[in-house]
Amino acid sequence: MPSYPQYSASSPQQDQSSLSLSFPQPMTSYPLLSSSPFSSNQRSSSSHPLHVHHHHSYSSDSRQQDSQRSVLLPSINSAGSSITGWHDNSRHESPHRHQSSSSDRYRSRPKLRPHQHLLDRKPENCPPQLTDKQKKKWLNAGQKANANHELIANTPPFSASDVDYGKPIHLHRYTSPDILKSSITAISDIHLFMIDTESESVYRQPSIPALIQIQCIENEHKAVVLIIEIQHLPHHSTIEFKFIHQLCDHIFSKHSTIMTWGNLMNELSPFTSTRLFDLSNVTNPINLQTFFTNFWNQRHPHILQCSHQKQEINASSNRDALELICHVTEMNVEDEYVDDKHADYVSCICPKEYRPYKSNSSSNWSLQKALKFTFNCALDKELTQNAWTCGLDKALHHHLTAEKQVIIENMIKYAVNDVLAPTKLYFYILRKSAEAILTVQSVLGPSQALPSPSSSFPIANGNNTINELPLVINDSSQHQLPTFFVLSDSHGKCLNKQLLSQTTTEMTTTNHHVIITAVSGLKWIDNYEPHLSLVHLIHTPTISSFLSRATALVLLIGTNSIRLTKSTDVIQQVEQLITHIRNNHQQLEDEQNIAIIPSFSCAKTTQKFPTTTSLEQNIESYNNLLISLEQTMKFSILDIRIGQHELANDRIHVHHDAHDKIKAGIFDYFNRFISVPPPPEIQSVIAEPHDQQQDHQKSSKRGLRSKESENKRNQARHQRQYHHLLQHQISRAICPSWSMTLIKTVLDSYNVNYYHTPFPLQGQLHLRFKTQAEADHANNILPITAFDENNLRHWTHNESHS
Ligand SMILES: [Zn+2]
């Protein structure tokens, strides 16, 4: 018969001391002497006085604190063992086997109603021995529990709506290799993930990492949820562990887009010691909380009185037409984002139901509140603090009573909802944002509306309002005609007049069908605004349907990214995007099916690139990297170059006189595509190694064969530069898992110029230099082992401690 010697109910003195120490560290429960989380000698948890220690966190702020606090992993010792003793491979072993584990004594039992005891908290019954600070916290926990309770009672529960994603797959030491293998296959083409984690609070100790929930999102209606049970992993030497590792390798890679509600690093850093993944491989994590905050604020501008109060009305309302087209690029400068007129600020007087948060931080919105405000549904957070390490999969238990089974099923539901809910928000934000930009702005009055309905082409998913304006319609031949899809930032607006008032237009000629979507401010990836982020937009029904129809895709994007982001980072985004597109649209697999136009010149500087020289260098570097990427990823470069002298007065858009050059270049590509029979021939031309002569042929074949001698000169110059660089190249072997950032840090420390360094390929890092002297210097100073595993550990360690 277990007792509770340390924290017996009859020891108020203990209560007090533990209270003072347990805040804000949540204490989930009193320690158990019995080893099993399902000890049959439980008292009713709600009646235990110590449950006053609950601290319930709804906002991500406290969640972040929790996860930061749990960086020490009490449960995973240096030998990699875990509480539950994975080394014990007998599945029929009684769950009592880990009786002796010391941390186990502090662990809690799964609870169905952990809030119950908090609901009665009132100032009148506050324990008198508490300090003021403790009282406040004591009451605060009660208020939060009551708020949750009230929300649940009065609001329909969150459900993943009509979508059934099936049962989650639990990954732990008893998951069969067959299931692991089929999971690997099932997600091999998926590159979009929503991740959440659960940790278990331990009294006076860092919390224990318990679960990683990963929703592998094929599309809005198709996904697989994986639950990795961290404390029940197989031993590192087993084949099962290798499979789980392989799964994680695929998920946490540079080809993935990983989303979390809150900061990914905060969420996952307590889990890195599991050795399941390497966070440095994750290049573009998306903080959905930030997305949502921006989304909400843009749609809920401060009310008039509030704006007046802030005296933020400046006379900037009369922008000229050109700027109006691209004003988004301006607003999007990341460093300046905080100055956004829609941002939260402390003295905001807007109603709370309209703008609930008043301080300027994107980490304010709790997931629960975001769901309530967006879908009017309630995400029950009562189970936040729970015995998450207990093993949620039935296979981890010898026997479960009906009661415990119910608890565990609720916990699984909670864990799964914690990824399904943000995903639902994500697709909602995406759809709404995309609607806003893909919908025709009502510039045309009804009288001017062009005829369309019967002649327009059906779009796969009917829930968009794109107004198609086909110029020549030939329905019978449309099926045979190749469809070209041009996806562009505002530069593409010069391709068709219609694009000045709408984002998409379609046209059919005798040779081809063309869809052009031009979105002002479009970037490869935008971490703040999904509707300007191509890697997200391709998942919207509209863009996705265009991609499905496309025989070939032309991408005229870059300027908005390259003005704000280093070329080496932008190029990774391009790589990520192409991977995403090809996974979902396999007809775009071949080299000639995707053409990317190098970034045009741009003289509109930013905080990140404050001089035209630095900006131009970044663009040039990007264009060179694009050539290397072309070779590895097998796409085409449609070499239309726009120089500084061809820019309009705003120094970012292309001067009217050069519009024809862009148009001619793109349509020339279409014509060549049609005239040249696909794969064999084209590949033999394009896949040739890059020697100078080939390049000449290539650029003359690809670009414009026109009078644009300036353009040709530029092309030749760029190619020369690139080959020049290749001549002064040194290489170093590099082990996997190096991030580009870390590589740069190392090169910096040796004072080696990394400007022309592409990301490593097949275990080799190629460093390119403008002069032989630079190359020699680098060769002398850079050890052969500079990028081996030892150094990786060394630098990763340094990074994380700096
Ligand atoms: Zn306001």
Side-chain angles (χ1 to χ4, degrees), residues 302-303 306 345 348-350 355:
H302 294 282
I303 56 169
C306 185
Y345 60 96
C348 165
I349 52 164
C350 297
R355 288 185 72 114

Side-chain angles (χ1 to χ4, degrees), residues 4-25:
Y4 305 93
Q6 278 180 288
Y7 303 105
S8 82
S10 58
S11 167
Q13 196 52 45
Q14 275 291 355
D15 268 354
Q16 193 187 358
S17 68
S18 64
L19 245 181
S20 62
L21 285 158
S22 63
F23 286 119
Q25 169 80 12

Side-chain angles (χ1 to χ4, degrees), residues 463-481:
N463 58 350
N464 68 70
T465 44
I466 297 252
N467 189 5
E468 294 148 79
L469 298 161
L471 300 183
V472 184
I473 294 302
N474 187 343
D475 267 329
S476 57
S477 64
Q478 194 233 325
H479 308 287
Q480 290 94 47
L481 288 180

Side-chain angles (χ1 to χ4, degrees), residues 133 168 271 317 367 530 685 691:
K133 207 173 159 195
F271 291 74
S317 47
L367 180 57
V685 176
D691 71 45

Side-chain angles (χ1 to χ4, degrees), residues 51 94 159 200 212 231 299 303 375 377 391 396 490 493 506 535 537 543 547 578 607 625:
H51 276 262
S94 134
S159 79
E200 182 170 330
I212 305 178
Q231 299 301 336
R299 276 150 185 267
I303 56 169
F375 303 121
C377 66
L396 289 165
S490 56
K493 301 242 176 232
E506 298 203 26
V535 89
L537 278 183
I543 298 292
L547 287 168
I578 294 176
Q607 278 186 21
L625 291 168

Side-chain angles (χ1 to χ4, degrees), residues 308-327:
H308 276 306
Q309 181 188 273
K310 209 192 171 192
Q311 296 183 326
E312 254 238 341
I313 310 280
N314 45 24
S316 70
S317 47
N318 48 349
R319 295 179 164 132
D320 59 81
L322 191 60
E323 238 185 284
L324 211 62
I325 292 173
C326 74
H327 70 279

